[in-house]
Amino acid sequence: MKSLLAGCTISGAALALSLLASTAARADEISIVTGLVGNDLGLLQEQLKSFEDKTGHTVKVVSLPPSSSDQFSQYRLWLAAGNPDIDVYRTDVVWAPQLADQFIDLTPYTEDVIDEYFPSTIRSQTVDGKLVALPWYATIPGLYYRTDLLEKYGKDVPKTWDEMTTTAREIMDAERADGNASMWGFLFQGAPYEGLTCDGLEWLVSSGGGNIVEADGEISVNNPNAAAALERAKSWIGTISPPGTLSYKEEDTRGIWQLGNAVFMRNWPYAYALGEQDDSAIKGKFDVAPLPAGENGESAATLGGFNLAVSKYSEHPDAAVELVKYLTSPEAQKYRVMYNSNAPTAVALYEDPEVQAKQPFALRWEDSLETAVSRPSNVTKSKYNEVSSLFWTAAYNTLSGNGSAQDNLEELELKLYQLRGNGW
Ligand code: GLC
């Protein structure tokens, strides 16, 4: 301090002191909570280091298990208790209506940057005019397929679920006969959690079986197309899909896939960049197509993705907002998309030559950002989590052989009527 102030005039010394004080006051310690898959943690830590160097703040990462349902339960507990220890929450795209009251309105802080994001991603995070979170990245799932195996057996990329089932079976049987006993036909997420709601919604919509609850609030899930779609998925368990599927989440399926032990996999875009890494057994041997369609329907992909929100209970809201704006900025999204193939939410990156050259895969889903299927969270609002949990339970029971799809959907319909009461 002495040497810093030596030679200063009185007013110069006062200025230096006040600058030091203001720097100290601005150097906050904040925390961000997030679930992690693949290389998320390493990437986030690199980006936080740059943020810390730039701003003087320090950021602690609180990491949660990868299941988005587990994250939601934990968030709800912390937020209900008004926990001041977490400043920034990474939120799933479907949570905005349920958690809106617990986060600050980002509108006044983002007027300068709001046009940088896809309008659909901003809309999804706006509840009654309040901007609940800033879009970080979007996820659109696809059908991962082994290019080498389809070529070896002279098969086309399947366009319908039935074609996928037949091709998966044929290649799996042939590979097993050839000595590869660990080979499976199709991997998907069958554990009872939010991921199964996403997979199940795709089966329904692609088969003309509706959106569980329609945009006008109608409960549509109990219908023959939906039942047939669930029965078809049940037929995969233990035939083309491992019996363990009933406990698989995204990372379980990616693990088997990346060892080279499956012909097809339904997964989100993050699995692409990881599958192309040097240590991956399938590097250069796979690609991703739209998910198959049902007989009467069209391919349907559930819109996923994550956003960043600032807790109403944060004691450092300014630093927290700074972090949210930093991580979701086009520059930070660009850094991230070079290593992680989820779809950016910043419009400019879709025209960026470096991203186009290094990670064209992540840019494939631009149109899907508008057309992907939304889970019924906007219509069921604060009841969405329960709707989802009732749906994944009916799907899980069907997959496990616990009741027919028809019976399970009938029971689900009754429970949804009860939950809705006089309105969503
Ligand atoms: C992915 C999606 C998210 C979804 C979750 C389900 O992480 O981005 O929106 O809820 O999968 O497992």
Side-chain angles (χ1 to χ4, degrees):
M1 180 66 73
K2 230 185 201 158
S3 64
L4 189 70
L5 297 183
C8 289
T9 60
I10 302 277
S11 62
L15 179 67
L17 275 176
S18 85
L19 272 178
L20 277 179
S22 74
T23 316
R26 278 185 33 228
D28 287 331
E29 266 183 50
I30 54 174
S31 62
I32 176 170
V33 63
T34 178
L36 300 161
V37 288
N39 61 355
D40 283 348
L41 182 60
L43 251 176
L44 179 61
Q45 277 168 338
E46 280 172 31
Q47 296 202 285
L48 292 179
K49 175 86 182 55
S50 311
F51 175 76
E52 290 176 340
D53 291 346
K54 195 171 154 229
T55 62
H57 301 309
T58 46
V59 188
K60 189 173 96 189
V61 179
V62 179
S63 64
L64 290 183
S67 156
S68 131
S69 310
D70 293 345
Q71 293 156 30
F72 185 73
S73 310
Q74 183 59 63
Y75 286 13
R76 272 233 279 229
L77 289 177
W78 280 333
L79 290 165
N83 183 346
D85 298 335
I86 308 284
D87 301 288
V88 174
Y89 285 77
R90 186 195 72 155
T91 58
D92 200 327
V93 68
V94 282
W95 298 341
Q98 291 167 96
L99 299 180
D101 290 346
Q102 317 279 1
F103 295 131
I104 68 167
D105 185 358
L106 294 171
T107 312
Y109 304 99
T110 50
E111 275 153 11
D112 53 333
V113 295
I114 201 78
D115 293 340
E116 291 172 353
Y117 303 88
F118 279 94
S120 61
T121 64
I122 293 291
R123 268 199 312 276
S124 77
Q125 298 309 303
T126 305
V127 179
D128 298 332
K130 172 174 178 175
L131 181 58
V132 176
L134 270 185
W136 198 11
Y137 54 87
T139 62
I140 317 278
L143 182 72
Y144 284 70
Y145 63 94
R146 287 281 298 275
T147 45
D148 58 335
L149 292 178
L150 290 197
E151 199 181 315
K152 179 171 169 191
Y153 294 98
K155 300 286 176 195
D156 293 330
V157 178
K159 293 219 158 36
T160 66
W161 290 115
D162 285 345
E163 263 173 62
M164 189 284 291
T165 309
T166 312
T167 305
R169 183 85 216 206
E170 275 183 48
I171 298 183
M172 180 184 106
D173 287 349
E175 284 291 297
R176 288 186 176 202
D178 216 16
N180 187 353
S182 316
M183 183 59 85
W184 286 99
F186 178 48
L187 305 171
F188 66 95
Q189 296 75 40
Y193 78 120
E194 184 65 23
L196 179 54
T197 292
C198 297
D199 288 44
L201 182 62
E202 287 152 9
W203 305 331
L204 262 59
V205 174
S206 66
S207 308
N211 278 56
I212 308 171
V213 176
E214 303 305 314
D216 62 2
E218 182 207 339
I219 295 165
S220 64
V221 75
N222 183 17
N223 70 74
N225 288 346
L230 288 187
E231 288 294 352
R232 179 175 45 220
K234 185 203 172 336
S235 78
W236 296 329
I237 306 282
T239 56
I240 58 171
S241 308
T245 299
L246 294 170
S247 67
Y248 287 173
K249 303 191 179 104
E250 286 80 1
E251 284 291 79
D252 306 296
T253 49
R254 184 176 70 83
I256 299 172
W257 166 255
Q258 221 167 288
L259 286 173
N261 290 334
V263 185
F264 297 112
M265 169 179 74
R266 181 267 181 212
N267 214 332
W268 307 97
Y270 83 102
Y272 186 87
L274 298 170
E276 283 298 340
Q277 281 179 353
D278 287 341
D279 61 356
S280 160
I282 48 155
K283 181 178 160 74
K285 296 183 182 166
F286 71 94
D287 206 342
V288 185
L291 288 168
E295 295 65 50
N296 311 316
E298 289 179 6
S299 165
T302 302
L303 177 68
F306 285 94
N307 310 276
L308 294 175
V310 173
S311 166
K312 195 164 105 177
Y313 313 103
S314 165
E315 286 163 359
H316 313 282
D318 291 338
V321 168
E322 229 178 314
L323 177 62
V324 167
K325 287 178 76 173
Y326 178 82
L327 286 175
T328 60
S329 68
E331 297 73 35
Q333 287 201 32
K334 177 170 173 176
Y335 183 81
R336 195 182 154 85
V337 76
M338 292 295 186
Y339 304 96
N340 175 315
S341 39
N342 282 320
T345 54
V347 181
L349 298 192
Y350 289 79
E351 302 297 329
D352 186 301
E354 278 171 335
V355 184
Q356 284 169 343
K358 168 102 197 285
Q359 196 65 276
F361 175 80
L363 307 182
R364 272 195 209 172
W365 316 106
E366 181 171 0
D367 295 341
S368 311
L369 289 177
E370 298 290 340
T371 58
V373 177
S374 294
R375 284 164 268 176
S377 63
N378 280 338
V379 54
T380 59
K381 302 187 194 103
S382 61
K383 295 176 181 165
Y384 171 71
N385 195 52
E386 215 165 328
V387 170
S388 178
S389 138
L390 289 170
F391 174 69
W392 83 54
T393 304
Y396 179 79
N397 284 341
T398 307
L399 296 179
S400 341
N402 187 2
S404 68
Q406 202 187 332
D407 290 349
N408 288 328
L409 290 182
E410 216 170 286
E411 196 184 324
L412 170 64
E413 181 183 45
L414 285 177
K415 288 188 173 155
L416 289 176
Y417 277 128
Q418 273 168 11
L419 180 65
R420 182 176 68 180
N422 293 328
W424 293 111

